[in-house]
Amino acid sequence: MTSLQHITHVYFIGIGGIGMSALARYLNEQGKIVAGYDKVITSLTKQLEEEGIDIHYNDDFNSIPAEFKKPDTAQVIFTPAIPATMDELLRFRESGIPILKRAQLLGQISQTMTCLAVAGTHGKTTTSAILAHLLYKSDVEVTAFCGGILEEYNTNYLCSGTDVMVVEADEFDRSFMQLSPDIAGITAIDADHLDIYGDVATFEKTFHDFASLLKGKTLLVNEQVAIDGIKVGLVHGKFKAINIVIAGGAYHFDLQIEEDIHKGFCLQLPGKHNLSNALLAIAMAVEYGVSIEKLKHALVTFQGVERRFTYRVNTEERVLIDDYAHHPTEINAVHQAVREMYPNEKVLAIFQPHLFSRTKDFMNDFVTSLAQFDKIALLDIYPARELPIEGITSQVLCSKIQKLEEKPAVITVLEKEDIAEFIEEMNTRVVVMIGAGDIGVEIKKLINKPLNNEH
């Protein structure tokens, strides 16, 4: 990796983030001395510490070892999620030590391998995870930086070599424009991050800019994406899934590539959106040159990504599903999947909205997507990097759902400490908990405190 060859020490500000921690692991494996800061101890930071990476949890520049402050041999990496006013970041800026955004580092690494990048508003984490798994199981020498924890491997970083790099191409802050992809896939371009982009046209233009990075290379796009490329889909395209059958909670299908039909594929993930994601991953692997037979054997063993329709409880008495969905389109996908799996059952959804700006931008779409469930409870909006916006609350969203003619039987706003009691009270076997904030932490509390269903 030419640009970092002279670097011996790398310091990560926000090292516990899903993208940052994968990069920290990669550089640690490359023999760099890695350390970092994060504000909270998590299972990810604990894993990094077990791998020999030093992490501290106080914003204290003076406690950082001197080796990480030498301009000639040290490098600082930060994530845009870190406030610009953070003292360590400010002090590093003053010191003249080279500082890179996470996306810039990914961009540098992408120039050193054949880069397979997955972009899209939804589905990029699952698609890139499936692609990483397919290549890894097909004996390709791959380094994968995943945006979620792969269930089978319990990690967001896979490495069997450095011929191929698999990476999520993140549209947030135009990060994906830093990459040098050789093969790319685009899952969806539904508007999001309008707090950054301002309007839908600007957001969509950025995806067209990303597509232009692939001129003369290979770009695959979901059949519903209005960008020129090799189409992949369930209805039309060069790559299609046909003869789809649902059995035992899995999709069984045949893969059609132009006129050729390859029989006997199986995906163990529910939801049509996941079938589309898997198809795009397969298409990218085929375009790279992996044999169909290897891909068929690899796909059936894919176990999923944590918090992407993850079963936390699955018994006769209770089904508790955990999903990261935080955009109306993603909530629709969760609804479709849960109805497909449990066609005759009532479903209770507990949703934590993520960002005031997203709730404001898509308020009516959230109303429509959430109203599909039989019972709905909302937690307060998770602010992440934002300050409150007047008139934008979970209570407002709740009252809009209550005004619908066809509405859920129960619609309420809930405090976190009341979740377990509320689920008991609802007496609904199938419960989905959705959102990108800290609702995942609340779900883990429920698993540790078993819910019973006795009334």
Side-chain angles (χ1 to χ4, degrees), residues 12 14-26 44-45 48 51 53 102 146 149 156-157:
F12 283 81
I15 195 166
I18 197 80
M20 293 281 275
S21 56
L23 284 166
R25 287 189 155 122
Y26 170 75
L44 258 181
T45 60
L48 292 176
E51 290 164 27
I53 294 172
R102 176 180 71 89
C146 296
I149 303 296
N156 54 336
Y157 170 72

Side-chain angles (χ1 to χ4, degrees), residues 159-179:
C159 183
S160 59
T162 53
D163 286 350
V164 179
M165 168 181 175
V166 172
V167 63
E168 273 188 43
D170 189 1
E171 75 278 3
F172 176 77
D173 200 24
R174 289 176 62 88
S175 292
F176 56 17
M177 295 306 294
Q178 305 280 350
L179 296 171

Side-chain angles (χ1 to χ4, degrees), residues 15-240:
I15 195 166
I18 197 80
M20 293 281 275
S21 56
L23 284 166
R25 287 189 155 122
Y26 170 75
L27 291 176
N28 194 40
E29 269 192 12
Q30 296 293 306
K32 310 292 183 192
I33 296 166
V34 177
Y37 157 86
D38 212 287
K39 64 180 177 189
V40 286
I41 298 171
T42 63
S43 55
L44 258 181
T45 60
K46 285 179 189 165
Q47 278 182 316
L48 292 176
E49 290 188 271
E50 282 164 17
E51 290 164 27
I53 294 172
D54 188 39
I55 301 175
H56 66 239
Y57 300 91
N58 297 316
D59 180 3
D60 181 10
F61 184 78
N62 295 327
S63 70
I64 301 168
E67 292 83 5
F68 292 96
K69 299 172 182 173
K70 293 179 177 173
D72 295 337
T73 53
Q75 174 75 61
V76 174
I77 311 295
F78 77 102
T79 164
I82 292 289
T85 53
M86 187 211 171
D87 188 57
E88 284 188 14
L89 186 56
L90 291 171
R91 295 282 295 275
F92 271 121
R93 286 199 192 288
E94 289 164 6
S95 69
I97 293 163
I99 298 180
L100 287 177
K101 279 186 182 175
R102 176 180 71 89
Q104 292 170 307
L105 175 60
L106 268 176
Q108 288 186 13
I109 298 169
S110 73
Q111 293 170 22
T112 69
M113 302 180 231
T114 300
C115 176
L116 275 59
V118 180
T121 327
H122 331 290
K124 60 180 172 286
T125 296
T126 301
T127 305
S128 54
I130 295 171
L131 178 57
H133 172 83
L134 293 177
L135 297 178
Y136 188 82
K137 291 289 187 188
S138 299
D139 306 317
V140 175
E141 296 202 357
V142 62
T143 295
F145 301 97
C146 296
I149 303 296
L150 281 73
E151 295 279 11
E152 178 179 347
Y153 310 93
N154 194 31
T155 181
N156 54 336
Y157 170 72
L158 270 187
C159 183
S160 59
T162 53
D163 286 350
V164 179
M165 168 181 175
V166 172
V167 63
E168 273 188 43
D170 189 1
E171 75 278 3
F172 176 77
D173 200 24
R174 289 176 62 88
S175 292
F176 56 17
M177 295 306 294
Q178 305 280 350
L179 296 171
S180 298
D182 298 287
I183 299 172
I186 300 178
T187 60
I189 55 169
D190 298 318
D192 198 3
H193 303 302
L194 297 184
D195 55 322
I196 305 285
Y197 285 94
D199 58 52
V200 173
T202 308
F203 177 83
E204 289 181 352
K205 181 186 179 299
T206 301
F207 275 93
H208 286 273
D209 292 343
F210 174 73
S212 69
L213 296 176
L214 276 296
K215 282 212 171 86
K217 296 177 181 176
T218 306
L219 176 64
L220 299 112
V221 297
N222 179 281
E223 61 191 333
Q224 295 177 343
V225 170
I227 288 177
D228 288 340
I230 299 168
K231 294 288 188 208
V232 179
L234 304 181
V235 180
H236 56 256
K238 177 182 175 180
F239 293 85
K240 281 194 296 195

